[in-house]
């Protein structure tokens, strides 16, 4: 909701996505959630394509923001997809807190896409060197 308010657009996909649409992504995406006292207070999705892990839909309940939950969720995705050499995430151009978080985690802007006259997506990536193989005959 905070992003929708920021952009004055309450038709953003996370707000309009149906339960069936979300459930269909379970087979393609990893879903992680942060839970406190039995209540989901944060979540993130990710999937791998080639050597890239695409991170998306990072959300943290407003009462729990700025407590490291988003950071921990992204770091957990990076651990799970540790064999990826590239991680990609995007956010809207007005989402300064998101952009600053991603920068703090080592992500750098590499592309801006104009979606409408009121919205631009800022694409950010984090790359790492491939770890040399320590086993004979590996590819």
């Amino acid at each position: 909701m905070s992003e929708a308010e920021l952009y004055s657009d309450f038709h953003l996909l996370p707000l309009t996505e149906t339960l069936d649409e979300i459930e269909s992504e379970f087979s393609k995406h990893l879903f992680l959630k942060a839970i406190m006292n039995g209540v989901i207070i944060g979540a993130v999705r990710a999937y791998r394509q080639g050597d890239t892990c695409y991170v998306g839909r990072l959300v943290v309940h407003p009462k729990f923001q700025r407590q490291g939950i988003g950071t921990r969720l992204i770091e957990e995705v990076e651990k799970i997809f540790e064999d990826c050499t590239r991680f990609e995430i995007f956010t809207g151009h007005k989402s300064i807190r998101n952009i600053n978080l991603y920068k703090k985690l080592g992500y750098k802007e590499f592309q801006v896409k104009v979606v409408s006259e009121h919205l631009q997506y800022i694409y950010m990536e984090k790359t790492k060197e491939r770890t040399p193989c320590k086993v004979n005959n590996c590819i």
Side-chain angles (χ1 to χ4, degrees):
M1 286 299 288
S2 61
E3 292 294 302
E5 290 170 357
L6 187 61
Y7 293 96
S8 299
D9 183 355
F10 293 88
H11 295 94
L12 298 175
L13 189 57
L15 297 177
T16 61
E17 195 170 32
T18 67
L19 181 57
D20 286 339
E21 290 169 332
I22 293 169
E23 287 177 341
S24 73
E25 291 199 2
F26 282 134
S27 64
K28 304 173 210 151
H29 293 74
L30 167 75
F31 283 68
L32 297 179
K33 59 187 175 183
I35 299 175
M36 182 175 286
N37 298 323
V39 176
I40 298 173
I41 59 168
V44 68
R45 299 180 199 180
Y47 69 94
R48 178 188 182 132
Q49 189 171 12
D51 285 340
T52 298
C53 174
Y54 294 90
V55 183
R57 300 283 206 300
L58 175 67
V59 295
V60 176
H61 187 285
K63 285 174 47 177
F64 298 97
Q65 291 178 358
R66 302 190 110 129
Q67 296 180 33
I69 296 165
T71 296
R72 289 179 54 205
L73 286 166
I74 290 176
E75 288 174 343
E76 191 63 30
V77 165
E78 291 175 357
K79 283 181 196 170
I80 291 168
F81 290 96
E82 68 183 344
D83 58 333
C84 287
T85 58
R86 182 175 177 273
F87 294 85
E88 182 177 313
I89 196 164
F90 72 91
T91 191
H93 70 286
K94 293 181 184 177
S95 303
I96 302 304
R97 285 186 15 197
N98 295 353
I99 293 168
N100 289 337
L101 170 64
Y102 305 150
K103 284 181 180 179
K104 182 183 97 176
L105 293 172
Y107 288 76
K108 295 181 177 145
E109 183 180 320
F110 74 92
Q111 182 180 14
V112 176
K113 274 190 184 174
V114 176
V115 178
S116 71
E117 67 178 272
H118 304 291
L119 175 62
Q120 298 173 21
Y121 286 152
I122 308 297
Y123 285 82
M124 302 178 77
E125 67 182 347
K126 179 178 185 177
T127 57
K128 64 181 185 177
E129 303 254 339
R130 182 176 293 281
T131 306
C133 185
K134 296 177 182 175
V135 179
N136 290 336
N137 300 323
C138 63
I139 298 173

